[in-house]
Coordinates of all heavy atoms in Angstrom, one line a residue:
M1 N 153.9 79.8 52.9 CA 153.7 78.5 52.5 C 152.7 78.5 51.3 O 151.7 79.1 51.4 CB 153.1 77.7 53.7 CG 152.9 76.3 53.5 SD 154.3 75.3 53.0 CE 154.9 74.7 54.4
L2 N 153.1 77.7 50.3 CA 152.3 77.6 49.1 C 151.2 76.6 49.3 O 151.4 75.6 50.0 CB 153.1 77.4 47.9 CG 154.0 78.5 47.5 CD1 154.9 78.0 46.3 CD2 153.3 79.7 47.0
P3 N 150.1 76.7 48.6 CA 149.1 75.7 48.7 C 149.6 74.4 48.1 O 150.5 74.3 47.3 CB 148.0 76.2 47.7 CG 148.2 77.7 47.6 CD 149.7 77.9 47.8
P4 N 149.1 73.2 48.7 CA 149.7 71.9 48.2 C 149.3 71.5 46.8 O 149.8 70.6 46.3 CB 149.1 71.0 49.3 CG 147.8 71.6 49.7 CD 148.1 73.1 49.7
D5 N 148.3 72.3 46.2 CA 147.8 71.8 44.9 C 148.5 72.6 43.7 O 148.0 72.6 42.6 CB 146.3 72.0 44.8 CG 145.8 73.4 45.1 OD1 146.7 74.3 45.5 OD2 144.6 73.7 44.9
V6 N 149.7 73.2 44.0 CA 150.5 73.8 42.9 C 151.9 73.2 43.0 O 152.3 72.7 44.0 CB 150.6 75.3 43.0 CG1 149.3 76.0 42.9 CG2 151.3 75.8 44.3
R7 N 152.6 73.2 41.9 CA 154.0 72.7 41.8 C 154.9 73.9 41.6 O 154.6 74.8 40.8 CB 154.1 71.7 40.6 CG 155.4 71.0 40.5 CD 155.4 70.0 39.4 NE 156.2 70.6 38.3 CZ 156.2 70.2 37.1 NH1 155.4 69.2 36.7 NH2 156.9 70.8 36.1
V8 N 156.0 73.8 42.3 CA 157.0 74.9 42.2 C 158.3 74.3 41.7 O 158.8 73.4 42.4 CB 157.2 75.7 43.5 CG1 158.3 76.7 43.3 CG2 155.9 76.3 44.0
D9 N 158.8 74.7 40.6 CA 160.1 74.2 40.1 C 161.0 75.4 40.2 O 160.8 76.5 39.5 CB 160.0 73.8 38.6 CG 159.2 72.5 38.4 OD1 159.0 71.8 39.4 OD2 158.8 72.2 37.3
G10 N 162.1 75.3 40.9 CA 163.0 76.4 41.0 C 164.1 76.1 42.1 O 164.1 75.1 42.7
W11 N 164.9 77.1 42.2 CA 166.1 76.9 43.1 C 166.0 77.7 44.4 O 166.8 77.5 45.3 CB 167.4 77.3 42.4 CG 167.4 78.7 41.9 CD1 167.0 79.2 40.7 CD2 167.9 79.9 42.6 NE1 167.1 80.6 40.6 CE2 167.7 81.0 41.8 CE3 168.5 80.0 43.8 CZ2 168.1 82.3 42.2 CZ3 168.9 81.3 44.2 CH2 168.7 82.4 43.4
I12 N 165.0 78.6 44.5 CA 164.8 79.4 45.7 C 163.9 78.7 46.7 O 163.0 78.0 46.3 CB 164.3 80.8 45.3 CG1 164.5 81.7 46.5 CG2 162.9 80.8 44.9 CD1 164.3 83.2 46.2
E13 N 164.2 78.9 48.0 CA 163.4 78.4 49.0 C 163.5 79.3 50.2 O 164.3 80.2 50.2 CB 163.8 77.0 49.4 CG 165.2 76.8 49.9 CD 165.7 75.4 50.1 OE1 165.3 74.5 49.3 OE2 166.4 75.2 51.0
T14 N 162.7 79.1 51.2 CA 162.7 80.0 52.4 C 164.1 80.0 53.0 O 164.8 79.0 53.2 CB 161.7 79.4 53.5 OG1 160.4 79.4 52.9 CG2 161.8 80.3 54.7
G15 N 164.6 81.2 53.2 CA 166.0 81.4 53.8 C 167.1 81.6 52.7 O 168.2 81.9 53.1
T16 N 166.8 81.3 51.5 CA 167.8 81.5 50.4 C 168.2 82.9 50.3 O 167.4 83.8 50.2 CB 167.3 81.0 49.1 OG1 166.9 79.6 49.2 CG2 168.4 81.2 48.0
E17 N 169.5 83.2 50.3 CA 170.0 84.5 50.1 C 170.3 84.7 48.6 O 171.0 83.9 48.0 CB 171.3 84.8 50.8 CG 171.8 86.2 50.7 CD 173.0 86.6 51.6 OE1 173.0 86.0 52.7 OE2 173.8 87.3 51.1
V18 N 169.7 85.6 47.9 CA 169.8 85.8 46.5 C 170.8 87.0 46.3 O 170.6 88.1 46.7 CB 168.4 86.2 45.9 CG1 168.6 86.4 44.4 CG2 167.4 85.1 46.2
S19 N 171.9 86.7 45.6 CA 172.9 87.7 45.4 C 172.5 88.6 44.3 O 171.5 88.5 43.6 CB 174.2 87.0 44.9 OG 174.2 86.6 43.6
T20 N 173.3 89.6 44.1 CA 173.0 90.6 43.0 C 173.2 90.0 41.6 O 172.7 90.6 40.6 CB 174.0 91.9 43.1 OG1 175.3 91.4 43.1 CG2 173.7 92.6 44.4
A21 N 173.8 88.9 41.5 CA 174.0 88.2 40.2 C 173.0 87.1 40.0 O 173.2 86.1 39.4 CB 175.4 87.7 40.1
Y22 N 171.8 87.2 40.7 CA 170.8 86.2 40.6 C 170.2 86.0 39.2 O 170.1 86.9 38.4 CB 169.7 86.4 41.6 CG 168.7 87.5 41.3 CD1 167.5 87.3 40.6 CD2 169.0 88.8 41.7 CE1 166.6 88.3 40.3 CE2 168.1 89.9 41.4 CZ 166.9 89.6 40.7 OH 166.1 90.6 40.4
D23 N 169.8 84.7 39.0 CA 169.0 84.4 37.8 C 167.6 84.9 38.0 O 167.0 84.6 39.0 CB 169.0 82.9 37.6 CG 168.2 82.4 36.4 OD1 167.4 83.2 35.9 OD2 168.4 81.3 36.0
P24 N 167.1 85.8 37.1 CA 165.8 86.4 37.3 C 164.6 85.3 37.4 O 163.6 85.7 37.9 CB 165.6 87.4 36.2 CG 166.6 86.9 35.2 CD 167.7 86.3 35.9
L25 N 164.8 84.1 36.9 CA 163.8 83.1 37.0 C 164.1 82.3 38.3 O 164.8 81.4 38.3 CB 163.8 82.2 35.8 CG 162.8 81.1 35.9 CD1 161.4 81.6 35.9 CD2 162.9 80.1 34.7
L26 N 163.5 82.8 39.4 CA 163.7 82.2 40.7 C 162.9 80.9 40.8 O 163.4 79.9 41.4 CB 163.2 83.1 41.8 CG 163.9 84.5 41.9 CD1 163.3 85.3 43.0 CD2 165.4 84.3 42.1
A27 N 161.7 80.9 40.2 CA 160.9 79.7 40.3 C 159.8 79.7 39.3 O 159.4 80.8 38.9 CB 160.3 79.5 41.7
K28 N 159.3 78.6 38.9 CA 158.1 78.5 38.0 C 157.0 77.9 38.9 O 157.2 76.9 39.6 CB 158.3 77.6 36.8 CG 159.3 78.1 35.8 CD 159.3 77.2 34.6 CE 160.2 76.0 35.0 NZ 160.4 75.1 33.9
V29 N 155.8 78.5 39.0 CA 154.7 78.0 39.7 C 153.7 77.5 38.7 O 153.3 78.2 37.8 CB 154.1 79.2 40.6 CG1 153.0 78.6 41.4 CG2 155.2 79.8 41.5
I30 N 153.3 76.2 38.9 CA 152.5 75.5 38.0 C 151.2 75.1 38.7 O 151.3 74.4 39.7 CB 153.2 74.3 37.4 CG1 154.5 74.8 36.7 CG2 152.4 73.6 36.4 CD1 155.7 73.9 36.7
A31 N 150.1 75.4 38.1 CA 148.8 74.9 38.7 C 148.0 74.2 37.6 O 148.0 74.6 36.4 CB 148.0 76.1 39.2
A32 N 147.2 73.2 38.1 CA 146.3 72.5 37.2 C 145.0 72.5 37.8 O 144.8 72.8 39.0 CB 146.8 71.1 37.0
G33 N 144.0 72.2 37.1 CA 142.6 72.1 37.6 C 141.7 71.4 36.6 O 142.1 71.0 35.5
G34 N 140.5 71.2 37.0 CA 139.5 70.5 36.2 C 139.1 71.4 35.0 O 138.5 70.9 34.0
S35 N 139.3 72.7 35.1 CA 139.0 73.6 34.0 C 140.1 74.7 34.0 O 140.9 74.8 34.9 CB 137.7 74.3 34.3 OG 137.7 75.1 35.4
R36 N 140.1 75.4 32.9 CA 141.1 76.5 32.8 C 140.9 77.5 34.0 O 141.8 78.0 34.6 CB 141.0 77.2 31.5 CG 141.9 78.4 31.2 CD 141.8 79.0 29.8 NE 142.8 80.0 29.6 CZ 144.1 79.8 29.3 NH1 144.5 78.6 29.2 NH2 144.9 80.8 29.1
E37 N 139.6 77.8 34.2 CA 139.2 78.8 35.3 C 139.7 78.3 36.6 O 140.3 79.1 37.4 CB 137.7 79.0 35.3 CG 137.3 80.0 36.3 CD 135.8 80.2 36.3 OE1 135.3 81.0 35.5 OE2 135.1 79.5 37.1
Q38 N 139.6 77.1 36.9 CA 140.0 76.5 38.2 C 141.6 76.6 38.3 O 142.1 76.9 39.4 CB 139.6 75.1 38.4 CG 139.9 74.5 39.8 CD 139.4 73.1 39.9 OE1 139.7 72.3 39.1 NE2 138.7 72.9 41.0
A39 N 142.3 76.3 37.2 CA 143.7 76.3 37.2 C 144.2 77.8 37.4 O 145.1 78.0 38.2 CB 144.3 75.7 35.9
I40 N 143.5 78.7 36.8 CA 143.9 80.1 36.9 C 143.7 80.6 38.4 O 144.5 81.3 39.0 CB 143.1 81.0 35.9 CG1 143.6 80.7 34.5 CG2 143.3 82.5 36.3 CD1 142.8 81.4 33.4
E41 N 142.5 80.2 39.0 CA 142.3 80.5 40.4 C 143.3 79.9 41.3 O 143.8 80.6 42.2 CB 140.9 80.0 40.8 CG 139.7 80.8 40.1 CD 138.4 80.2 40.4 OE1 138.3 79.2 41.2 OE2 137.4 80.7 39.8
R42 N 143.7 78.7 41.1 CA 144.7 78.1 41.9 C 146.1 78.8 41.8 O 146.8 79.0 42.8 CB 144.9 76.6 41.6 CG 143.8 75.8 42.1 CD 144.0 74.3 41.7 NE 142.9 73.5 42.3 CZ 142.7 72.3 42.0 NH1 143.5 71.6 41.1 NH2 141.6 71.6 42.5
L43 N 146.4 79.1 40.5 CA 147.7 79.8 40.3 C 147.7 81.2 40.9 O 148.6 81.6 41.6 CB 148.0 79.9 38.8 CG 149.3 80.6 38.4 CD1 150.5 79.9 39.1 CD2 149.5 80.5 36.9
D44 N 146.6 81.9 40.8 CA 146.4 83.3 41.4 C 146.6 83.2 42.9 O 147.2 84.0 43.5 CB 145.1 83.9 41.0 CG 145.0 85.3 41.5 OD1 145.9 86.1 41.2 OD2 144.0 85.6 42.2
A45 N 145.9 82.2 43.6 CA 146.0 82.0 45.0 C 147.4 81.7 45.4 O 147.9 82.3 46.4 CB 145.1 80.9 45.5
A46 N 148.1 80.9 44.7 CA 149.5 80.6 45.0 C 150.4 81.8 44.9 O 151.2 82.1 45.7 CB 150.0 79.5 44.1
L47 N 150.2 82.6 43.8 CA 151.0 83.8 43.6 C 150.7 84.8 44.7 O 151.6 85.5 45.2 CB 150.8 84.4 42.3 CG 151.2 83.6 41.1 CD1 150.8 84.3 39.8 CD2 152.7 83.4 41.1
A48 N 149.4 84.9 45.2 CA 149.1 85.8 46.2 C 149.7 85.4 47.6 O 150.0 86.3 48.4 CB 147.5 85.9 46.4
A49 N 150.0 84.1 47.7 CA 150.6 83.6 49.0 C 152.1 83.8 49.0 O 152.7 83.7 50.1 CB 150.2 82.2 49.2
M50 N 152.7 84.0 47.9 CA 154.2 84.1 47.8 C 154.7 85.4 48.4 O 154.1 86.4 48.2 CB 154.6 83.9 46.4 CG 154.4 82.6 45.7 SD 155.2 82.4 44.1 CE 156.7 81.8 44.7
R51 N 155.7 85.3 49.1 CA 156.4 86.4 49.7 C 157.9 86.3 49.3 O 158.6 85.4 49.7 CB 156.3 86.5 51.2 CG 154.8 86.7 51.6 CD 154.3 88.1 51.2 NE 152.9 88.2 51.6 CZ 151.8 88.0 50.8 NH1 152.0 87.6 49.6 NH2 150.6 88.2 51.2
V52 N 158.4 87.3 48.6 CA 159.8 87.4 48.3 C 160.3 88.8 48.8 O 159.8 89.8 48.3 CB 160.1 87.2 46.8 CG1 161.6 87.3 46.5 CG2 159.5 85.9 46.3
A53 N 161.2 88.8 49.7 CA 161.7 90.1 50.3 C 163.1 90.4 49.8 O 163.9 89.5 49.6 CB 161.7 90.0 51.8
G54 N 163.3 91.7 49.6 CA 164.7 92.2 49.3 C 165.1 92.3 47.9 O 166.1 92.9 47.6
I55 N 164.3 91.8 46.9 CA 164.6 91.9 45.5 C 163.3 92.2 44.8 O 162.2 92.0 45.3 CB 165.2 90.6 44.9 CG1 164.2 89.4 45.1 CG2 166.5 90.3 45.5 CD1 164.7 88.1 44.5
R56 N 163.4 92.7 43.6 CA 162.3 93.1 42.7 C 161.7 91.8 42.2 O 162.4 90.8 41.8 CB 162.7 93.9 41.6 CG 163.2 95.3 42.0 CD 163.7 96.0 40.8 NE 164.3 97.3 41.2 CZ 165.0 98.1 40.4 NH1 165.1 97.8 39.1 NH2 165.5 99.2 40.9
T57 N 160.3 91.7 42.2 CA 159.7 90.6 41.6 C 158.6 91.1 40.6 O 158.2 92.3 40.6 CB 159.0 89.7 42.6 OG1 157.9 90.4 43.2 CG2 160.0 89.3 43.7
N58 N 158.0 90.2 39.9 CA 156.9 90.5 39.0 C 155.6 89.8 39.4 O 154.8 89.6 38.6 CB 157.3 90.1 37.5 CG 157.5 88.6 37.3 OD1 157.6 87.9 38.2 ND2 157.6 88.2 36.0
L59 N 155.5 89.5 40.7 CA 154.3 88.8 41.2 C 153.0 89.5 40.8 O 152.1 89.0 40.4 CB 154.4 88.5 42.7 CG 155.5 87.4 43.1 CD1 155.7 87.4 44.6 CD2 155.0 86.1 42.6
G60 N 153.0 90.9 41.1 CA 151.8 91.6 40.8 C 151.5 91.7 39.3 O 150.3 91.6 38.9
L61 N 152.5 91.8 38.5 CA 152.3 91.7 37.0 C 151.7 90.4 36.6 O 150.8 90.3 35.8 CB 153.6 92.0 36.3 CG 153.5 92.1 34.8 CD1 152.6 93.3 34.4 CD2 154.8 92.3 34.1
L62 N 152.3 89.3 37.2 CA 151.7 88.0 36.8 C 150.3 87.8 37.2 O 149.5 87.3 36.4 CB 152.6 86.9 37.5 CG 154.0 86.8 37.0 CD1 154.8 85.8 37.9 CD2 154.1 86.4 35.6
R63 N 149.9 88.3 38.4 CA 148.5 88.2 38.8 C 147.6 89.1 37.9 O 146.5 88.7 37.6 CB 148.4 88.6 40.3 CG 149.1 87.6 41.2 CD 148.9 87.9 42.7 NE 147.4 87.6 42.9 CZ 146.7 88.2 43.9 NH1 147.3 89.1 44.6 NH2 145.5 87.9 44.1
A64 N 148.1 90.3 37.5 CA 147.4 91.1 36.6 C 147.2 90.4 35.3 O 146.1 90.5 34.7 CB 148.0 92.5 36.4
A65 N 148.2 89.7 34.8 CA 148.1 89.0 33.5 C 147.0 87.9 33.6 O 146.2 87.7 32.7 CB 149.4 88.4 33.1
L66 N 147.0 87.2 34.8 CA 146.0 86.1 35.0 C 144.6 86.7 35.0 O 143.7 86.0 34.5 CB 146.3 85.4 36.3 CG 147.5 84.5 36.5 CD1 147.6 84.0 37.9 CD2 147.4 83.4 35.5
A67 N 144.4 87.9 35.5 CA 143.1 88.5 35.5 C 142.7 89.1 34.2 O 141.5 89.5 34.0 CB 143.1 89.6 36.6
H68 N 143.6 89.2 33.2 CA 143.2 89.9 32.0 C 142.2 89.0 31.2 O 142.4 87.8 31.1 CB 144.5 90.0 31.1 CG 144.3 90.9 29.9 ND1 143.7 90.5 28.8 CD2 144.7 92.2 29.8 CE1 143.7 91.5 27.9 NE2 144.3 92.5 28.5
P69 N 141.2 89.6 30.7 CA 140.1 88.8 30.0 C 140.7 87.9 28.9 O 140.2 86.8 28.7 CB 139.2 89.9 29.5 CG 139.4 91.1 30.3 CD 140.8 91.0 30.7
A70 N 141.6 88.4 28.1 CA 142.2 87.6 27.0 C 142.9 86.3 27.5 O 142.8 85.3 26.9 CB 143.2 88.4 26.2
F71 N 143.5 86.4 28.7 CA 144.1 85.2 29.2 C 143.1 84.2 29.7 O 143.2 83.0 29.4 CB 145.0 85.6 30.4 CG 145.9 84.4 30.9 CD1 147.0 84.1 30.2 CD2 145.5 83.7 32.0 CE1 147.8 83.0 30.7 CE2 146.2 82.6 32.4 CZ 147.4 82.2 31.7
G72 N 142.1 84.7 30.3 CA 141.0 83.8 30.8 C 140.3 83.1 29.6 O 139.9 81.9 29.7
A73 N 140.2 83.8 28.5 CA 139.5 83.3 27.3 C 140.5 82.5 26.4 O 140.0 82.0 25.4 CB 138.9 84.4 26.5
A74 N 141.7 82.5 26.8 CA 142.8 81.8 26.0 C 142.9 82.4 24.6 O 143.1 81.7 23.6 CB 142.5 80.3 25.9
T75 N 142.7 83.7 24.5 CA 142.9 84.4 23.2 C 144.1 85.4 23.3 O 144.2 86.2 22.4 CB 141.6 85.3 22.9 OG1 141.3 86.2 23.9 CG2 140.4 84.3 22.7
H76 N 144.9 85.2 24.3 CA 146.0 86.1 24.5 C 147.2 85.8 23.5 O 147.2 84.7 23.0 CB 146.5 86.0 25.9 CG 147.0 84.6 26.3 ND1 146.1 83.6 26.5 CD2 148.2 84.1 26.5 CE1 146.7 82.5 26.8 NE2 148.0 82.7 26.8
T77 N 148.0 86.8 23.3 CA 149.3 86.6 22.6 C 150.4 87.3 23.4 O 150.1 87.9 24.5 CB 149.2 87.3 21.2 OG1 149.1 88.7 21.4 CG2 148.0 86.8 20.4
T78 N 151.6 87.3 22.9 CA 152.6 88.0 23.6 C 152.4 89.5 23.7 O 152.8 90.2 24.6 CB 154.0 87.7 23.0 OG1 153.9 88.0 21.6 CG2 154.4 86.2 23.2
A79 N 151.6 90.0 22.7 CA 151.3 91.4 22.7 C 150.3 91.8 23.8 O 150.2 92.9 24.2 CB 150.6 91.8 21.3
T80 N 149.6 90.8 24.4 CA 148.7 91.1 25.4 C 149.4 91.7 26.6 O 148.8 92.6 27.3 CB 147.9 89.8 25.9 OG1 147.3 89.2 24.8 CG2 146.9 90.1 27.0
L81 N 150.6 91.3 26.9 CA 151.3 91.9 28.0 C 151.6 93.4 27.9 O 151.8 94.1 28.9 CB 152.7 91.2 28.2 CG 152.6 89.8 28.8 CD1 154.0 89.1 28.9 CD2 152.0 89.8 30.2
G82 N 151.5 93.9 26.7 CA 151.7 95.4 26.5 C 150.5 96.1 27.2 O 150.7 97.3 27.5
G83 N 149.4 95.5 27.4 CA 148.3 96.2 28.1 C 148.1 95.8 29.5 O 147.1 96.1 30.1
V84 N 149.0 95.1 30.1 CA 148.9 94.6 31.4 C 149.9 95.4 32.3 O 151.1 95.5 32.0 CB 149.3 93.1 31.5 CG1 149.3 92.6 33.0 CG2 148.3 92.3 30.7
T85 N 149.4 95.9 33.4 CA 150.2 96.6 34.4 C 150.0 96.1 35.8 O 148.9 95.7 36.1 CB 150.0 98.2 34.3 OG1 148.6 98.4 34.6 CG2 150.3 98.7 33.0
D86 N 151.0 96.2 36.6 CA 150.9 95.8 38.0 C 150.1 97.0 38.7 O 150.6 98.1 38.7 CB 152.3 95.7 38.6 CG 152.3 95.2 40.0 OD1 151.2 95.2 40.7 OD2 153.3 94.7 40.5
P87 N 149.0 96.7 39.3 CA 148.2 97.8 40.0 C 148.9 98.3 41.2 O 148.6 99.4 41.6 CB 146.9 97.1 40.4 CG 147.2 95.6 40.4 CD 148.3 95.4 39.4
R88 N 149.9 97.6 41.8 CA 150.7 98.1 42.9 C 152.1 97.8 42.6 O 152.7 96.9 43.3 CB 150.2 97.4 44.2 CG 148.8 97.7 44.6 CD 148.4 97.0 45.9 NE 149.2 95.7 46.0 CZ 149.4 95.1 47.2 NH1 148.8 95.5 48.2 NH2 150.1 94.0 47.2
P89 N 152.8 98.5 41.7 CA 154.2 98.2 41.4 C 155.1 98.4 42.6 O 155.0 99.3 43.3 CB 154.5 99.1 40.3 CG 153.5 100.2 40.3 CD 152.3 99.6 41.0
R90 N 156.0 97.4 42.8 CA 156.9 97.5 43.9 C 158.2 98.3 43.5 O 158.9 98.7 44.3 CB 157.4 96.1 44.3 CG 156.6 95.5 45.4 CD 155.2 95.3 45.3 NE 154.8 94.3 44.3 CZ 153.6 94.2 43.9 NH1 152.6 94.9 44.4 NH2 153.3 93.3 42.9
S91 N 158.4 98.4 42.2 CA 159.6 99.2 41.7 C 159.3 99.6 40.3 O 158.4 99.1 39.6 CB 160.8 98.3 41.7 OG 160.7 97.2 40.9
R92 N 160.0 100.6 39.8 CA 159.8 101.1 38.5 C 161.2 100.9 37.8 O 162.2 101.1 38.3 CB 159.4 102.5 38.5 CG 158.1 102.7 39.2 CD 157.4 104.0 38.7 NE 156.2 104.3 39.4 CZ 155.0 103.8 39.1 NH1 154.9 103.0 38.1 NH2 154.0 104.1 39.8
C93 N 161.1 100.5 36.5 CA 162.3 100.3 35.7 C 162.3 101.4 34.7 O 161.4 101.6 33.9 CB 162.2 98.9 35.1 SG 163.7 98.5 34.2
G94 N 163.4 102.2 34.7 CA 163.5 103.3 33.7 C 163.8 102.8 32.3 O 163.4 103.4 31.3
A95 N 164.5 101.7 32.1 CA 164.9 101.2 30.8 C 165.1 99.7 31.0 O 165.5 99.2 32.0 CB 166.1 101.9 30.3
P96 N 165.0 99.0 29.9 CA 165.2 97.5 30.0 C 166.6 97.2 30.5 O 167.6 98.0 30.2 CB 165.1 97.1 28.5 CG 164.2 98.1 27.9 CD 164.6 99.4 28.6
G97 N 166.8 96.2 31.3 CA 168.0 95.9 31.9 C 168.5 96.6 33.1 O 169.6 96.5 33.6
R98 N 167.6 97.5 33.6 CA 168.0 98.3 34.8 C 167.1 98.0 35.9 O 165.9 97.8 35.8 CB 167.9 99.8 34.5 CG 169.0 100.2 33.5 CD 169.0 101.7 33.3 NE 170.0 102.0 32.3 CZ 170.3 103.2 31.9 NH1 169.6 104.2 32.4 NH2 171.2 103.4 31.0

């Protein structure tokens, strides 16, 4: 169960069976707060509460990106993700698209 103070836009819900031809964007989780720091904390808590079984997800990578100092300071760019890794990867990808 997600916290009530976040919004989830997506097509997946508890009990949904995701086929092998799934859209990799299962849902967008959106958090707001009185400050950037509060919104990041709410989003991190929501991602920590999410459980998706049976398929690969990037939840750990998203949480690691939220914890990155450049993201917190709003000085991040798309290149910032090059230095972000999931501390507990659930799967490894040998090449893009695999």
